[in-house]
Every structure is written in C-alpha cells, then in structure tokens.
C-alpha cells in the first residue's frame, strides 16, 4: 500500500511516523509545499518537496506512483491544496481522508471578534486597538496594507520573511520566529511591544495557543479569522492516531 500524506504540519509529521511504525510494509510518502525554508521533516517514510501543478498534476502523480490512499494533513487554512486534493482523489479513484486539528474555543475572559477573512480582520482593527500583534503568517501581510490601517503599528510574526515586493502595512516590525511558543514568552511579547490587539487565524493546536491565554490575561481583544470548510464529502479525523485507526479499520478501502 502506498500512502501519500500532504503534510507540513505537526500532525502530518506525527502521522507519517505512526504510519511507518504501525504499517511497516506500507510505503509512506510525505509531500511538503516548500513554502518554508528549512522545513521540519517527518521521522518516517519518504519526503518530496514542491507543488504538483494543480489538480491535473496531482491526479497524474497519484496514478503514476500507485497511490492507494491520500491523506490531507495540511494546515487548516491551506484551502487551495485541500480542494485540489478532493478533485484529484475523485479523478484518480483514490480514497481521501482529511486530518484537521480541532479549532480553538473561547473561554471565560476572552474578548474574541470572529471574522471570515484577513481583509475583514484588517477592517475591524481600527476600532479595537492601535498596536497590533499580527500572527497570520507572511503570506497574508498584504491584506493589512490597505486603506484604514495607516495609523496602526504592526508586529508581524512569521517563520520566514515576506517575499520581496510584498506590500506591508506602513508601520511594520517583523518578528521572525518559529513555534511552539510558551506562555511566558507570549506575555513578554505583548508587554514589551505594548500590544493592545491580537490577530490570529483559528489554526487550532497547542503550539501557538499560548498567545490566546496571554491576551486573555491582559484583557486584549483578539480578532480570529474563521477557518475555511473541508470539501464536501471528505471524511475528517481530528488527530494522527484517529487517522491510523481509520486506515487500519479498512473503511477507506486501503
């Protein structure tokens, strides 16, 4: 059996390792998009880096490499590749499973403002604060460079710097860091930069959750971008262990 994991996440790496251990006779390939320099690699199976060339390219790869099962373990906001995976799996007649970590849930003391997009997040900021901790990644920075944000100051955190020529907010300080982050570290970021509003995507998971607790402690409003939906008809599991159980149970035809 050949399993292709669309990865690049903590869960994707863990899944590759579990599959490699639980089904040692299976061939496991993890595919990483290559958008992050020096990506963390899984400890089991083969790895390929780079895109497929859209739906047609992924469909051809599935057929040419005899893939028996496709698992989408990409970031919850990697909407394009998730929909490409659904179309390619259907075209190649390959079972598809989506692994999605649960989203965050507000608790007592949180001041969350949920929005549908980065553009909507940018529009909400002027009424919420002036010093923004922006944790939505480098690819969405241009969404905050439009009219209405000129008076705001941004601390933009990402793993890698934005591509040359990317429009940035007028007053931006880049903070290049890779998670996981600690609560004490996030407290210090908010304090030292005098942050009064946080912007995040609902990525879920523990690695970047401490910023939410730090914001709650300081009474800082949080603008939360809702995650896009999983394509219709795709089975979803919440964690790597559940994905391995689904494969072992044979319900996916692999």
């Amino acid at each position: 059996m050949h399993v292709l994991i669309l990865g690049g996440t903590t869960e994707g790496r863990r899944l590759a390792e579990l599959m490699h251990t639980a089904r040692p006779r299976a061939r496991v390939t993890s595919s990483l998009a290559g958008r992050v320099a020096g990506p963390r690699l899984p400890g089991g199976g083969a790895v390929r880096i780079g895109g497929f060339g859209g739906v047609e390219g992924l469909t051809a790869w599935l057929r040419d490499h005899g893939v028996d099962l496709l698992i989408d373990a990409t970031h919850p906001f990697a909407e394009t590749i998730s929909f490409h995976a659904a179309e390619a799996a259907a075209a190649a007649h390959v079972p598809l499973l989506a692994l999605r970590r649960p989203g965050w849930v507000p608790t007592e003391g949180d001041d969350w403002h949920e929005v549908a997009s980065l553009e909507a997040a940018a529009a909400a900021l002027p009424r919420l604060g002036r010093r923004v901790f922006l944790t939505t990644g480098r690819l969405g920075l241009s969404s905050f460079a439009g009219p209405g944000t000129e008076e705001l100051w941004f601390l933009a955190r990402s793993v890698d710097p934005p591509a040359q020529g990317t429009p940035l907010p007028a007053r931006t300080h880049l903070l290049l860091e890779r998670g996981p982050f600690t609560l004490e570290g996030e407290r210090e970021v908010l304090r030292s930069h005098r942050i009064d509003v946080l912007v995040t995507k609902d990525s879920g998971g523990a690695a970047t959750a401490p910023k939410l607790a730090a914001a709650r402690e300081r009474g800082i409003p949080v603008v939360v971008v809702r995650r896009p939906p999983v394509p219709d008809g795709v089975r979803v599991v919440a964690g790597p262990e559940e994905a391995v159980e689904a494969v072992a149970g044979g319900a996916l035809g692999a």
Side-chain angles (χ1 to χ4, degrees):
M1 183 179 71
H2 185 189
V3 180
L4 175 63
I5 300 172
L6 305 178
T9 59
T10 301
E11 292 79 12
R13 290 189 294 274
R14 176 62 176 158
L15 175 59
E17 293 162 2
L18 286 176
M19 288 291 297
H20 188 68
T21 301
R23 306 195 66 153
R25 297 180 63 183
R27 177 184 170 195
V28 179
T29 302
S30 294
S31 178
L32 312 182
R35 292 181 175 177
V36 175
R40 292 171 176 165
L41 303 179
V47 177
R48 70 172 298 278
I49 297 177
F52 291 95
V55 175
E56 292 184 1
L58 178 53
T59 302
W61 204 96
L62 295 175
R63 290 170 173 162
D64 294 346
H65 292 81
V67 173
D68 300 293
L69 173 64
L70 176 61
I71 302 180
D72 174 13
T74 57
H75 191 276
F77 281 82
E79 184 176 11
T80 299
I81 185 58
S82 292
F83 277 83
H84 284 182
E87 293 184 45
H93 303 290
V94 172
L96 171 63
L97 180 69
L99 196 168
R100 289 291 182 273
R101 68 185 77 144
W104 291 316
V105 178
T107 62
E108 185 177 356
D110 282 325
D111 180 14
W112 283 19
H113 302 259
E114 294 191 20
V115 296
S117 66
L118 294 177
E119 291 74 18
L125 287 176
R127 62 182 174 83
L128 296 174
R130 286 292 179 268
R131 296 183 66 84
V132 184
F133 186 20
L134 189 57
T135 65
T136 55
R138 65 189 178 99
L139 298 180
L141 289 177
S142 60
S143 299
F144 298 86
T149 62
E150 298 88 350
E151 301 302 318
L152 307 181
W153 182 87
F154 290 85
L155 177 66
R157 182 167 68 190
S158 66
V159 175
D160 296 316
Q164 188 173 1
T166 299
L168 300 177
R171 304 168 64 201
T172 300
H173 177 75
L174 293 176
L175 180 61
L176 301 182
E177 291 184 332
R178 186 196 297 265
F181 302 103
T182 65
L183 177 56
E184 186 57 39
E186 299 295 59
R187 287 169 175 160
E188 178 59 21
V189 169
L190 299 184
R191 185 198 65 79
S192 62
H193 294 282
R194 307 193 312 279
I195 299 299
D196 59 12
V197 59
L198 167 68
V199 181
T200 184
K201 295 177 178 178
D202 180 17
S203 300
T208 59
K211 62 190 173 188
L212 300 174
R216 183 186 313 122
E217 290 178 353
R218 295 180 66 89
I220 292 174
V222 181
V223 180
V224 181
V225 181
R226 291 188 292 269
R227 58 175 61 179
V230 174
D232 290 340
V234 176
R235 179 176 175 180
V236 181
V237 295
E241 292 78 8
E242 187 178 344
V244 172
E245 290 176 3
V247 175
L252 298 169

